[in-house]
Amino acid sequence: MLSRVANSLFWMSRYLERAENTSRFLAVTHNYTQELRGVLHGATDHCWRVTGKLLAGETPPDEGLGETFRCFAFDQETPASVISSVVRARENARGIRDAISTEMWEELNVLHMRLHEEAGSPPTEAGELSMLQRVRNASHLFQGLRDNTMVRGDEWHFMMLGQYVERADWTARVLEAMLSHPVLYAAAEAGHTIDTMHLVATLRSCTAFEAFARAERTVTVERAIEFLLLEARFARSVEFCVQEIGHSLHTLSGTPHDLFSNDAEQYSGRLVAELRFARIDEIIGRGIQGYLAELLGKLQQISSGIARQYFR
């Protein structure tokens, strides 16, 4: 396969996963601010500042809830917005039409057109939230079409790499942002307890709350972190994602799973082993923020290794 095609498949999948994650976080943040409004003064500002930092790497200007929300949803000039991610996914798909199914291309086109229609229409809260839900549904449909209309060949595996690299990175970054969230400190200073509410919002940001509730009786910081990092049976945990990355890498190279033929395979194999034998008490004991920073660095190593091996 041409490196250009592999690169486009990888980034098409990664950008669509990013659009889904961003749309979910915007919706969860919107609902979370409504819940906190009667409990904590200034909670809305705190939440949208964290959203800007997570999505764009910088604190957004104080433009109010509506403007910040719409900026990260429908402003094509904002690189971190939902619509920008969908546009980039479609641009990558357009150059490799023969590598994906017709159904996948059509679904991506429909999503692209609907987002632009919403961006050009008068804003309403209900309409914008509904559109964000459509983005999430479209991403799930696209993944289902991929799995049901394509052969499990090289094209499919490059899309899986893009999806799981982005998903693992997202889960780790959400944990990093939510565990140091300023509303926790503001609530503590005001004498309020919002820990459970905050953990539920964190889990919902990764579509993990219902799965977590079926596996655990109570919501605690330790169990929530463990579930999102180390639950190998959950499709959005970091361990699950890295396992899938390793599987696709070994399938692409034809290398047995106990051997490594390139840096990306070695990085992913090492990280899977670390996660598989990690203990949550040890992770928390060494400092969760430091651990997550190291984890994000290792995920970046894997992504860079993939690029060196297949995209140059």
Side-chain angles (χ1 to χ4, degrees):
M1 181 188 296
L2 293 174
S3 61
R4 176 188 62 81
V5 176
N7 184 65
S8 292
L9 288 164
F10 177 86
W11 280 104
M12 175 193 67
S13 185
R14 188 161 185 179
Y15 278 127
L16 191 57
E17 177 74 18
R18 186 173 300 177
E20 178 192 337
N21 292 334
T22 301
S23 68
R24 182 181 301 106
F25 194 79
L26 290 173
V28 169
T29 300
H30 177 273
N31 293 334
Y32 189 34
T33 58
Q34 304 304 307
E35 294 173 352
L36 288 176
R37 187 168 290 173
V39 178
L40 189 63
H41 178 72
T44 297
D45 293 338
H46 286 313
C47 287
W48 288 107
R49 287 193 186 102
V50 168
T51 299
K53 190 70 174 177
L54 175 64
L55 298 179
E58 59 186 20
T59 302
D62 294 328
E63 298 176 329
L65 169 61
E67 286 301 316
T68 302
F69 178 90
R70 192 167 179 80
C71 173
F72 285 116
F74 306 116
D75 183 3
Q76 196 169 332
E77 299 302 315
T78 301
S81 70
V82 173
I83 193 170
S84 291
S85 294
V86 171
V87 167
R88 289 188 175 97
R90 183 180 177 275
E91 286 174 351
N92 278 284
R94 186 172 56 181
I96 51 166
R97 287 279 303 276
D98 58 343
I100 61 175
S101 68
T102 300
E103 294 87 350
M104 293 166 67
W105 169 248
E106 289 175 349
E107 180 57 33
L108 195 51
N109 256 337
V110 168
L111 176 61
H112 182 267
M113 288 187 293
R114 287 182 176 174
L115 271 171
H116 278 83
E117 288 172 3
E118 179 65 35
S121 63
T124 66
E125 182 177 298
E128 290 172 345
L129 290 172
S130 177
M131 189 64 237
L132 291 180
Q133 180 62 56
R134 288 194 199 103
V135 172
R136 301 196 291 280
N137 291 343
S139 176
H140 297 159
L141 177 55
F142 186 89
Q143 292 165 13
L145 289 169
R146 175 200 63 203
D147 293 345
N148 286 279
T149 63
M150 291 188 66
V151 173
R152 261 55 167 186
D154 288 355
E155 295 88 347
W156 188 85
H157 282 289
F158 278 115
M159 282 188 278
M160 297 301 285
L161 286 177
Q163 174 181 311
Y164 284 114
V165 166
E166 183 68 25
R167 187 175 292 183
D169 179 80
W170 175 257
T171 298
R173 289 195 298 117
V174 164
L175 268 175
E176 185 180 49
M178 295 299 278
L179 292 175
S180 60
H181 204 296
V183 297
L184 293 172
Y185 306 106
E189 290 178 358
H192 298 300
T193 301
I194 63 167
D195 290 0
T196 299
M197 190 188 307
H198 190 76
L199 288 173
V200 169
T202 303
L203 290 164
R204 289 194 188 282
S205 298
C206 300
T207 322
F209 176 65
E210 291 189 9
F212 177 87
R214 292 187 181 99
E216 301 287 343
R217 293 183 178 180
T218 58
V219 182
T220 66
V221 175
E222 291 79 7
R223 296 284 74 77
I225 295 172
E226 183 176 31
F227 192 82
L228 290 175
L229 289 180
L230 308 177
E231 178 49 78
R233 300 169 297 171
F234 179 60
R236 291 184 179 273
S237 78
V238 174
E239 183 175 340
F240 182 97
C241 293
V242 179
Q243 285 179 351
E244 292 301 307
I245 291 168
H247 172 70
S248 286
L249 285 171
H250 280 87
T251 302
L252 285 167
S253 69
T255 307
H257 282 257
D258 56 344
L259 299 175
F260 308 104
S261 64
N262 57 64
D263 288 344
E265 290 175 6
Q266 189 172 39
Y267 294 146
S268 65
R270 183 187 303 158
L271 184 53
V272 153
E274 291 175 6
L275 293 166
R276 187 171 296 161
F277 295 104
R279 290 171 53 91
I280 192 60
D281 55 340
E282 294 174 352
I283 290 174
I284 293 175
R286 62 186 283 192
I288 186 63
Q289 290 296 333
Y291 178 86
L292 290 171
E294 290 180 11
L295 177 59
L296 285 165
K298 292 172 182 177
L299 291 171
Q300 180 56 47
Q301 274 189 327
I302 295 172
S303 181
S304 298
I306 293 170
R308 286 195 302 272
Q309 181 66 26
Y310 292 109
F311 304 154
R312 294 181 180 178

Short mmCIF file of all heavy atoms in Angstrom, two decimals, residues 55 123 156 163 193 245:
data_model
loop_
_atom_site.label_atom_id
_atom_site.label_comp_id
_atom_site.label_asym_id
_atom_site.label_seq_id
_atom_site.Cartn_x
_atom_site.Cartn_y
_atom_site.Cartn_z
N LEU A 55 -9.20 20.89 24.79
CA LEU A 55 -9.42 20.77 23.35
C LEU A 55 -8.41 21.57 22.53
O LEU A 55 -8.00 21.13 21.46
CB LEU A 55 -10.83 21.21 22.99
CG LEU A 55 -11.98 20.40 23.61
CD1 LEU A 55 -13.32 20.96 23.18
CD2 LEU A 55 -11.87 18.93 23.23
N PRO A 123 -28.46 29.86 15.98
CA PRO A 123 -28.16 28.92 17.05
C PRO A 123 -29.30 28.76 18.05
O PRO A 123 -29.90 29.74 18.47
CB PRO A 123 -26.92 29.52 17.72
CG PRO A 123 -27.01 30.98 17.42
CD PRO A 123 -27.66 31.10 16.09
N TRP A 156 -8.18 -1.66 6.56
CA TRP A 156 -8.96 -1.75 7.80
C TRP A 156 -8.06 -1.54 9.02
O TRP A 156 -8.42 -0.82 9.95
CB TRP A 156 -9.63 -3.11 7.86
CG TRP A 156 -10.61 -3.29 8.98
CD1 TRP A 156 -11.93 -2.95 9.00
CD2 TRP A 156 -10.35 -3.90 10.26
NE1 TRP A 156 -12.51 -3.29 10.20
CE2 TRP A 156 -11.56 -3.88 11.00
CE3 TRP A 156 -9.21 -4.44 10.84
CZ2 TRP A 156 -11.65 -4.39 12.28
CZ3 TRP A 156 -9.30 -4.95 12.13
CH2 TRP A 156 -10.52 -4.91 12.84
N GLN A 163 -8.07 5.07 14.99
CA GLN A 163 -9.12 5.14 16.00
C GLN A 163 -8.58 4.91 17.40
O GLN A 163 -8.87 5.68 18.33
CB GLN A 163 -10.19 4.08 15.70
CG GLN A 163 -11.26 3.97 16.78
CD GLN A 163 -12.29 2.90 16.45
OE1 GLN A 163 -12.81 2.84 15.35
NE2 GLN A 163 -12.56 2.01 17.40
N THR A 193 -19.50 18.98 48.57
CA THR A 193 -18.95 17.71 48.12
C THR A 193 -19.55 17.37 46.76
O THR A 193 -20.75 17.09 46.66
CB THR A 193 -19.26 16.57 49.10
OG1 THR A 193 -18.72 16.91 50.38
CG2 THR A 193 -18.66 15.26 48.63
N ILE A 245 -3.99 -1.63 19.23
CA ILE A 245 -2.92 -1.05 18.42
C ILE A 245 -1.86 -2.09 18.12
O ILE A 245 -1.42 -2.26 16.98
CB ILE A 245 -2.30 0.17 19.15
CG1 ILE A 245 -3.30 1.33 19.20
CG2 ILE A 245 -1.01 0.61 18.46
CD1 ILE A 245 -2.89 2.45 20.14
#
